[in-house]
Amino acid sequence: MFVGTLELDVLLGEVHSLKHKRGLIRPVVAELRRTFEVSVAEVGHQDLHRRALIGVAVVSGDPGRCTEVLDACERLVAARPELDLLSARQVLRSSSDD
């Protein structure tokens, strides 16, 4: 079994409230979940108006599939015009890792 995780640090455009921020992040989270059947949530920078950290996780029996899905998730977020992707960090773990 392999577990892949992805952290996406994004900068939002002209956002002046946490309510507006949620209105931009929620559809992205829902689209990732629906399109790729991954676990996804806003996991950091909750108190900042213009920043968000989105966490994505996928489980598969094939490490290549984990990487493929996480790469596609990263491309989807990078293509969103209302978000600037500042950084992305992938980690792949095996059930045999200590």
Side-chain angles (χ1 to χ4, degrees):
M1 176 177 73
F2 295 90
V3 178
T5 60
L6 174 65
E7 287 184 353
L8 301 163
D9 190 3
V10 296
L11 179 66
L12 307 169
E14 293 298 316
V15 175
H16 300 291
S17 71
L18 293 175
K19 184 176 179 179
H20 187 200
K21 173 187 174 178
R22 283 191 309 271
L24 292 175
I25 295 299
R26 279 189 181 160
V28 174
V29 167
E31 184 177 2
L32 287 167
R33 187 175 291 131
R34 182 179 59 251
T35 304
F36 301 109
E37 297 181 358
V38 295
S39 294
V40 59
E42 182 183 357
V43 296
H45 304 311
Q46 281 101 344
D47 57 341
L48 301 177
H49 294 197
R50 297 194 61 221
R51 293 281 297 276
L53 186 64
I54 299 171
V56 181
V58 62
V59 176
S60 177
D62 176 26
R65 178 68 181 148
C66 285
T67 302
E68 177 184 311
V69 170
L70 295 177
D71 287 344
C73 290
E74 183 178 341
R75 285 191 301 272
L76 184 142
V77 171
R80 299 290 295 239
E82 69 275 19
L83 306 175
D84 287 324
L85 182 58
L86 298 176
S87 68
R89 187 174 81 99
Q90 280 190 32
V91 176
L92 183 63
R93 295 188 189 266
S94 166
S95 59
S96 62
D97 290 347
D98 290 315

